[in-house]
Each structure stands twice: as structure tokens, then as C-alpha cells.
Amino acid sequence: MNNLDAIGHVTGKSVYLDDIPVLKNCLNGFVFCSPSAHGTITSLDVSAALSLPGVQKVFTWKDIPGKNDIGGIIPDEMLFAQDEVHFMGQPVALVVANDERTARKAAKLIKIEISELEVITDPRLAREKGLLLIPSRTFRMGDISGAWSGCDHIFEGRVESGAQEHLYIETQGAYAHPSGNGGIKIHSSTQGPTLVQKVAARVLSIPMNHIEVDVTRLGGAFGGKEDQATGVAVMAALAAYMLDRPVKITLHRGDDMRMTGKRHPYSSDVKIGLTKDLRIKAFQAVLYQNGGAAADLSPAIMERTLFHSTNAYFIPNTEVTVHSCKTNLPPNTAFRGFGAPQGMFVIEAAIAMAAREMKVPARLIQQANFLKENDEFQYGQKAKDVNIGKCYAALEKSFDIENIEKEISDFNAKKTIYRKGMAVMPVCFGVSFTNTSMNQARALVHIYQDGSIGISTGAVEMGQGVNTKLIQVAARVFSVSPDRIKIETTNTSRVANTSPTAASSGADLNGNALLIACNKLLERLKSVAAAVVNCSPGEIEIRDEKVFINGTPTEITWEKLVTTAFLGRVSLSEQSHYATPKIWFDKSKEKGQPFAYHVYGTAVIIVRLDCLRGTYKIEKVQMVHDFGNSLNPAIDMGQMEGGIMQGIGWMTMEEVLFNKEGRMLTDSLSTYKVPDIYSAPGELVCQALETEGPEPAIFKSKAIGEPPFMYGIAAFFALQNAVKAFNPEWEPDFDTPLTPEKILMRLYAR
Ligand code: MOS
């Protein structure tokens, strides 16, 4: 089945936040932000802005009826700066005017005086000064201090990975209006409608039941709207509530880039010990997560980094620590992979260090240490249905890795201006929110009298195709045409207490909840049919919109069955609840079983480097991926391609830069480069591993959103190998992104 949004998207008919018709007298908001990255506010004068004709109100922290706190996990982030500012772009005030132009103009008239304080952008420096967002955490297994003596080779090094701008096509925005009886309705471009509802209630000091959050669809999110959509939504709600008028806020691209957090940059120290037979005996790492000025989702991201710090390998002795460091940057946040890519890059860099020194291809070290059935992860979970070895074996066979390696070395031996490089990237990604309590979902299903079906869940469609998958689930259970089914907007009044659509788990959690509701309705309808034809419900089957008794078709159609049920006063609605079974985690011991299952796969990336210019082409990406039993191969392949491209972008060209004053230097599309069609791989081949798929995945179709992102890491190591082939004197370093400029320096480094 095609993505049901495809036609709407290409004809421009899909409704995004900005397409929602606004009510009469709608006002527009513009956010006034801190011009300084760290300081004390000594004066704030909004009077000139307020007196501009068309301006209705300028909101500051003083106008907040409830708490000036929008922190999602811990209460350390203000809606509007109060006494101090902690990053450039931090909201200080909201100008609300009759139109956006006026609001923007008025904001320029706001006078703020700031007594500057020291700006810290380096996470290591922050840690030295004791600036941590939350207490540090360590995962351990075996005996790390005793393990080194048993190692034949020990390597140490430093690893840096850069930030990444989400660059969702649709910028952050919200539209709020009074909805009667003291309530507020917020249309928000958020992955987490319940978070917006909860925080709006806190800020306005009204109960959650007075706030309805509705989401049509997002124009991309990638994690950037999991927590960071909240601020704008709550500002719109505040203004709508206080002024009793509709209010809309849409961030312009540059403002969005300057105000919002990115993927966390990490700076890490790593030590790895191996035996002669390439087995990794010991792995130790200290990671400094650059958290920015507030916690946002950093605690959860730190956790996912720890969970993925040994990637697809079994390492008997480990010790990995993450420090979440407070710096004067916008609060860094969720981004596809959620800290796992940063963790995996560190172990892969350590393996690359070892491979160079031991003069073996990195893939042999990777292969020698793959997880096997029932191996224990650092966090206590036993690995089950381990497919990493199978993925690698299939990759080796299908794409003839050894031969590619030989072709590359022959090519490089010709010593043209080009060099080629390749690298293999295995991935093992845990599926479930690491915070166990978030692994729950609900669905609401109505079958209408005419046989049409309406579905509401907590899933937010952001281009990933979750709505299509949900329709497939219902269509499969009822055995009706997908045309009969409509997905409603994601709405907190219809489905309450939702988890954000994140952690690659949207289809699993909401799909499983939907499955329960549909099955209950199906059983009820079977009983109705059984009563009509006088048999037992067990003999009834509904297939292709018809009722069958013991395999024989009857005259009863789906529509007739539904009408009969309705006239018989049988409920045609169902609300269901799903909680992922068998998962738990004990933070006091840092052990448990946090994941419902793991996604496995392996990719190989081949690059061709122009050694005069430092530019490169990703020639080929080939991978074997464990989709389980894919519910929708077209959608999953789309996620695969997009994920890899985004991962390659993070590793090779997307460079977020801040200067020492904390000013973002790459705040436009002319200074921040994301992959385009010209940087897409010359060839991309994905082979699905033949497997059955795990039970907790919806219809055994494995989660797909995040895992492919990490295949992109191979691009970095492939480029390194190509540089090394040209300049054997170069001492490889590990600092992403490996942009053409950086490559050029390394090609000629002595
Ligand atoms: Mo996702 S990075 O878990 O929104």
C-alpha cells in the first residue's frame, strides 16, 4: 500500500499547521529573544514596542499566571527569561499584534540591557566548572580494571562528534484560540501533544482538561519537535488565554535555527583493549554531552547513549560514563537516534583506532565481536533473536565485500588524483522508550452506521507514514478496504496521556493499541453475525467485507453486519490500552530489560575522494537490514533511504558552528549545508534479511525510524580510509563532520 499522504503532498492538499484557516481577529505573535548568550538582565523596556499601533500586548515572565517553567523532564527551563539569560536566542518576551509584520517591527523596539557573564560552549570546560545538567551516569559490566592486563593491545584516543540541525521543512509553530467554558485549543506542530497540554496547563495554571491539543501532521520533525515545540505552543496558548483571542506564532527559518536546540555534540575519551585474535576484552569511555542551557531531553538522550555505547558487540568488561554538561547554547534535544549515534560513533572510532594500529580491516574486528544469542548487554538484558551475524554474512555474500576491498586497493594503487575508501557499519538499536513508563498507548475506534471507520491514536504523522500503517492494521483485522478507514487528527481530548511519537515506536505502540480495539470490535461483530445465522461466533469469519460461516460465504456484507449490530444496540466504539509487556529497568543498578527487541543491520559505504579538491562522492551504499516482517516495504524503504542520507549528512557535511560569544554562525541554508540530490549516493541497495520478526513489533514489522540513520556513520570511516590511502603519514583523528575543507587539510597534513 502506498503512503496515503502521497497524493495530498504532491498536490499541495495536505493540511499542515499553517494551512489551518484561522478564526476572525486572529493575532500574530513574534518572539523577542536574548541577544546575549549569558548574562544578567539589568533592564527590560517594552514601552516603545507596546505603543506601536497594532500591538496588543507584550508578554514577559511577569504576565504568566502559573509557573514560568516549560522543562519537559526537569524544571530548569523558563518560558521567558526572568533575571538571567543562558543562551543567545532564549525567549525573553512575546509581542502580540494584529499582524506578524507589526509584531516583528515592535520587537525591534524592545530595549534590553544585559550585564555579560562568562559564555561557555565547551562541554569539557563546563564539567571542569561543575556545570552539569543532571548527575553523571555510568554503565558497567565485568571487571574493567582487571581486564587490561589480559589485553595484547590497548589504544586510547579522543573522539568528537558535531551537532546537527533538524531542518524540518515546516518550522516550529502553533495556533491557539479560546474554545469556550474557559478552555483553550492549541493546534501545535508537536510530536508530543500531551507534553504541550501538560506544560500549557502548568504555565496557565489551569487543569489539563481545559486544554485540547490537536495535531494534523508535521512537515518533518526528526526529534526536533518532541520537546522543542512546546515553548512556542505554550506562548500561543498564554496569549490566547490572556487576551481571549486567537493567536498564531510561526517561526521564521533563521529564528528557528537560532532559538532551538540541535543534536548534542559529544566530546569523548576512549580506551579499548584487544587480544591478538581481535577480541575486544575491555572498553572504557567518558563522554561529555554538550547539553546546552537547559536539560530538555538530555537525561533521556544520555541514557540512550549509554545503552548503545557497545553497539552490536559483546564486550565482557566495560565502563562507560556520560556527563551531561550545561553550556550557553540552545538546549540540545532529540534527533533521530536520540544519543545512540553519538555513542556508536565512539565505539566505532575505537575499533578504527585498533584496526589501523593492528593493520587489519576494521570489519574483521567488528565481526570478531558481534553479539551472539543470549549474550548480555552492559545493561543486563540478554540478547535474543540476534541477527547481526546473519546481516553481516548476507552482506558479505551479496555484495562480495572482499572483492570490493581488492578493487579499491587496485584502484588506489593506480595513484590517480582519486582515492576510494570503504567502511562497514553494523547497527544494533534497542526499541522501546528507555523510560519504561512511556511505553503505553491508547486507541479509539468508531465504526459508523454506514460501515466506515474512524481511528484516533496518539501517533503523530510527521512524514514517516505511521497513519498509513495504522490504516493497514485496522484494514487487516476487519478485512475491509483501506478506503473505509479514516485517521483522525491526533487530539488529546480523544486520546489522552499520550507518549510523544518518538523512539521509532509510534507504529508499535499505537498500532498494538489499535489492534486490541479492532479485535474487540471484531469479536463483537462476530457474535452479532453468529446470532443472525444461528451458529457459534467461533465459526464466523469476516473476510473481504463479507461474513463466512466455516469458510462458506453468506449474504451478509460488512455494511449489513454493522447496521445489524447498530440496530441491535451493540456498541460500535472501542477504546483500548496497550503497554509493552516484559520491559523494566532499575536505575539504581543500571540493569534491566529496557527494550522490547533490537533492530539489526549492516551497511557498507564506498566513497571516491578527489584528492586535489577534498570533495567526494558517496559511490555506493549497500546494506542488509532486518525489517522483521515489514508491514509496508515502500514506507520502510523510504525511512531507510532518508535515515541513511541524514546520517551521512551528520558525518560529512552538516556543520553547526557557534562562535565564542555563543552566536550561531550557521543559521541559514547558505551557511548550513544538508545533503541534496547531488550528494545522494550513486547507488543504494538494500536487501531485507529474511526473518520472522519479533512479537512486540506490530504484526512483527520492526521499528524503522531511527536505526538506518546510524548506517551513515560508515561514510566517515570510508572517507578516512580514502584519505589514508592518499596520505599514509596522516595520523587519523576522529572529528565530525568530515567536510571537504577538513579533508583537504588532512590530505596534505604532515
Ligand atoms: Mo525521536 S529523536 O525519539 O523524536
Side-chain angles (χ1 to χ4, degrees), residues 172-191:
Q172 306 277 1
Y175 163 54
H177 61 83
S179 58
N181 301 326
I184 288 287
K185 181 166 181 177
I186 310 172
H187 297 269
S188 168
S189 181
T190 180
Q191 291 172 250

Side-chain angles (χ1 to χ4, degrees), residues 440-457:
Q440 54 170 314
R442 278 150 293 276
L444 176 66
V445 179
H446 297 309
I447 304 176
Y448 293 92
Q449 292 173 54
D450 63 354
S452 65
I453 300 161
I455 291 171
S456 297
T457 74

